[in-house]
Amino acid sequence: MKKILLPFMVPALVGISAAGLSACSSDQPAPADTAQAGSTANFDSVYAGITAEDISGPLQTLASDEFEGRLPTTPGEQKTLDFLVSEFKAAGLAPGNGDSYLQPVDLMEITADPDMTMTIGDNTFRYKEDMVAGSKREQSVIDLKDSELVFVGYGVNAPEYDWNDYEGLDVEGKTVVILVNDPGFENPQSGKFQGTTMTYYGRWSYKYEEASRQGAAGAIIVHETAPASYGWSVVANSWSGPQYGLVSQDGGASRVAVEGWLTLDAAKKVFADAGLDFDTEKKAALQGPYHKDMGLTASVTVKNTFQKSVSHNVIATLPGATKPDEHVIYTAHWDHLGKDESLKGDQIYNGAHDNATGSAAAIVMAKAFGELTPRPARSVTFLIVTAEEQGLLGSKYYADHPVIPLEKTVANINMDAMNVLGKTKNVSVVGMGKSEMETYLEKAATRQGRYLTQEDRPEAGSYYRSDHFSFAKKGVPALYAEGGDEPWDAETATYRKRMNVIVTGCYHQVCDEFRKEWDLSGIAQDTQMLFEVGTDVANADSWPKWNAASEFQR
């Protein structure tokens, strides 16, 4: 989940494919105002049949100890795949990948030896305490030796904002030092980017990608808690130990040799050693495109071990009645963190909330679609992906190797870590304002007496942290919405206050287990709502489009 979180325009965003462009091109007509879920005769009864009790069963199963935390490539994966496939078969859905319900996903596990230090100028920094470093390259030893250091501000190349920190700069073989987030976060009145709402340019993943495109040898991000939206411990723990990625044709050669982070205190020492004041340089970087040679060199040696493995996405399809080659795709991720046998007592990360909830909702929704008469005009496909917790890898692999052509993919609807805090009056829209999918969402929410609100903390960039983002990068309109923060009634408010403490404290912990006292009416409420959205999109005369202000609109 991403979680851990709006309208803006990025015509030049790298990675949007030609297929995605054709799927969302500006010559598509606007969504039909007359699109109605009622175009299926028994919609209301099927809608009403989506209940908390229906969701509870598969949720308990997927979150049980028997599934061992659903870590990819373990026995827990096989049990999960067997269960999901059997449920989709029972719902009457066909295999989504030819005659198979599975799509193999080739993974690469890379582990850096923690016995490393980084030297910059006269300073030596310690692993996890002052810095972390790693490499996506499939090499046993990666040496970054005496690489010239260049400060590149926010490391952004965004033509639509007239912003390029790399303009006129040759960083071939050099190491770039980059600020976290984007220039809008601490300069919201500038009119650049989206103020405190993070754009994709603020994500660490973008910064390493752009540094790689620029030919840099290394890329180091300066960590600051507020603009990053998480503390240093998250960086240190997430970047140490085994790191998963997709198997690449070039063995990672197109990536910078070393990707790393520095603590703020370490970065200030580096800037001081270069005769620069960090705060002054950051202020300059906020005003406009900025870079400066630092007159220092960086050296670090990363020793890697790596291992290939194969996991699987699950794909199941209900063929459309009249337009079976066009698909609405629902996504959820089935994976979690597995188990840690070094722990005393409970060793299993059951991942009930994250994301047995979304997978269970997908099962119940698939059964509901199977009961509609007639079927929706377009096909409805459920893609339950692997390795989300390792960086959206299952959905990224699918987007790069789509079973259903992207130009035939009408929209994506994502379900992740769904609402176990009871029914809500509002619907939290992650990345609010991005596409016309919200028109369908508003209609479905209104049926329930609800209204749409922006997610909490849009500055955290949650839209870029779950599986729908893999579709958005390819140009497919992608919706991520869930129960908000306004309880339905006083009783729910009391329950929510108590349970929210438990759920929050159990994120990615062994205590993320199914609880009989959970009020699953909120998941049922959201599942009904997203079921209606998908039905309407599947029956609409036209395709939804990105809004003009979205960075994915091309």
Side-chain angles (χ1 to χ4, degrees):
M1 148 176 158
K2 19 236 204 329
K3 306 168 202 162
I4 333 179
L5 322 173
L6 261 132
F8 27 84
M9 184 177 179
V10 186
L13 185 68
V14 175
I16 295 182
S17 69
L21 302 186
S22 64
C24 309
S25 60
S26 60
D27 61 356
Q28 290 286 352
D33 294 334
T34 57
Q36 294 292 331
S39 58
T40 55
N42 64 336
F43 177 84
D44 288 343
S45 62
V46 173
Y47 176 97
I50 296 173
T51 68
E53 290 73 19
D54 293 330
I55 293 166
S56 178
L59 172 53
Q60 290 188 64
T61 298
L62 288 164
S64 67
D65 285 353
E66 179 186 355
F67 284 64
E68 301 179 356
R70 306 189 307 279
L71 184 69
T73 75
T74 67
E77 167 168 352
Q78 190 59 56
K79 293 175 182 178
T80 304
L81 298 180
D82 290 344
F83 178 72
L84 291 172
V85 170
S86 67
E87 291 294 304
F88 285 127
K89 282 183 178 178
L93 272 66
N97 186 16
D99 59 358
S100 177
Y101 288 92
L102 304 180
Q103 179 189 37
V105 177
D106 295 323
L107 299 178
M108 175 61 69
E109 177 187 321
I110 300 179
T111 305
D113 187 338
D115 184 17
M116 76 169 82
T117 57
M118 178 182 290
T119 302
I120 302 177
D122 295 331
N123 296 290
T124 299
F125 299 111
R126 296 162 295 179
Y127 187 70
K128 293 187 71 172
E129 294 184 38
D130 309 304
M131 66 88 184
V132 291
S135 179
K136 299 294 186 184
R137 297 189 177 181
E138 297 169 23
Q139 297 174 221
S140 298
V141 179
I142 298 94
D143 265 321
L144 188 71
K145 186 173 179 62
D146 296 329
S147 176
E148 295 180 37
L149 221 60
V150 182
F151 177 52
V152 293
Y154 286 89
V156 168
N157 178 12
E160 72 284 5
Y161 290 122
D162 193 26
W163 193 292
N164 184 4
D165 290 311
Y166 291 97
E167 186 172 4
L169 182 63
D170 180 7
V171 295
E172 189 77 31
K174 300 178 182 180
T175 294
V176 293
V177 178
I178 311 169
L179 298 172
V180 74
N181 210 310
D182 64 43
F185 179 78
E186 292 183 69
N187 194 12
Q189 305 307 317
S190 67
K192 296 289 188 179
F193 297 82
Q194 293 299 306
T196 57
T197 296
M198 183 187 288
T199 69
Y200 182 48
Y201 295 119
R203 292 285 290 138
W204 57 263
S205 54
Y206 164 79
K207 295 175 187 296
Y208 293 134
E209 291 166 2
E210 186 59 41
S212 298
R213 287 189 285 270
Q214 296 290 336
I220 300 172
I221 298 174
V222 178
H223 173 267
E224 292 186 80
T225 297
S229 81
Y230 41 78
W232 174 254
S233 63
V234 174
V235 177
N237 294 333
S238 297
W239 279 71
S240 57
Q243 303 292 302
Y244 286 85
L246 297 177
V247 174
S248 60
Q249 292 184 346
D250 66 356
S254 59
R255 301 282 296 203
V256 295
V258 174
E259 302 174 7
W261 293 76
L262 280 176
T263 65
L264 179 59
D265 287 342
K268 287 184 175 181
K269 289 180 181 178
V270 170
F271 277 74
D273 198 24
L276 304 171
D277 176 70
F278 175 81
D279 293 329
T280 300
E281 294 302 308
K282 179 179 177 179
K283 184 176 181 181
L286 279 168
Q287 305 309 311
Y290 189 76
H291 58 257
K292 178 177 285 188
D293 288 334
M294 300 187 71
L296 301 174
T297 62
S299 298
V300 64
T301 298
V302 179
K303 298 178 180 179
N304 278 338
T305 57
F306 41 90
Q307 180 179 353
K308 292 182 180 180
S309 58
V310 179
S311 186
H312 297 83
N313 293 331
V314 178
I315 311 176
T317 294
L318 181 75
T322 60
K323 302 175 183 178
D325 60 331
E326 299 180 9
H327 291 248
V328 176
I329 298 182
Y330 285 90
T331 48
H333 72 91
W334 60 256
D335 67 296
H336 198 56
L337 304 179
K339 59 183 179 180
D340 183 352
E341 295 181 349
S342 71
L343 297 177
K344 294 182 179 179
D346 191 359
Q347 299 178 331
I348 298 176
Y349 294 86
N350 299 84
H353 185 215
D354 181 19
N355 182 37
T357 54
S359 297
I363 289 170
V364 171
M365 197 181 298
K367 293 178 179 178
F369 273 107
E371 295 171 1
L372 289 178
T373 54
R375 290 180 177 181
R378 296 185 176 94
S379 295
V380 176
T381 292
F382 289 85
L383 174 64
I384 316 302
V385 299
T386 183
E388 187 272 355
E389 301 292 1
Q390 285 75 36
L392 315 183
L393 299 183
S395 58
K396 184 179 187 300
Y397 183 89
Y398 177 89
D400 289 339
H401 306 85
V403 173
I404 299 157
L406 293 174
E407 64 269 20
K408 293 294 185 180
T409 302
V410 180
N412 167 242
I413 301 168
N414 191 47
M415 298 175 289
D416 195 355
M418 299 185 74
N419 174 28
V420 297
L421 301 177
K423 295 173 67 176
T424 64
K425 295 179 180 179
N426 65 321
V427 177
S428 177
V429 184
V430 180
M432 192 171 189
K434 289 192 181 298
S435 82
E436 292 173 339
M437 288 294 288
E438 290 169 32
T439 301
Y440 296 97
L441 181 67
E442 185 172 27
K443 170 183 174 292
T446 300
R447 169 195 282 262
Q448 298 177 329
R450 305 166 79 190
Y451 52 92
L452 308 186
T453 58
Q454 185 181 53
E455 89 248 44
D456 291 338
R457 300 181 64 242
E459 66 274 15
S462 296
Y463 193 84
Y464 315 105
R465 300 186 179 195
S466 194
D467 292 303
H468 59 281
F469 177 53
S470 298
F471 284 87
K473 283 184 73 174
K474 297 294 187 179
V476 176
L479 177 69
Y480 183 26
E482 55 194 358
D485 58 0
E486 299 182 37
W488 191 257
D489 52 28
E491 182 180 354
T492 303
T494 300
Y495 160 80
R496 184 184 185 92
K497 185 176 181 180
R498 172 174 57 86
M499 187 55 64
N500 195 35
V501 174
I502 298 173
V503 173
T504 302
C506 288
Y507 174 66
H508 281 195
Q509 304 297 320
V510 294
C511 60
D512 183 7
E513 299 178 309
F514 177 82
R515 300 171 185 273
K516 291 184 178 179
E517 64 268 33
W518 271 354
D519 178 359
L520 302 182
S521 64
I523 301 182
Q525 185 185 38
D526 291 345
T527 303
Q528 288 177 326
M529 175 182 67
L530 296 178
F531 172 62
E532 179 167 342
V533 171
T535 305
D536 280 350
V537 174
N539 284 321
D541 294 333
S542 57
W543 292 31
K545 301 192 301 292
W546 292 106
N547 291 336
S550 169
E551 72 264 55
F552 307 109
Q553 59 87 21
R554 285 188 56 190

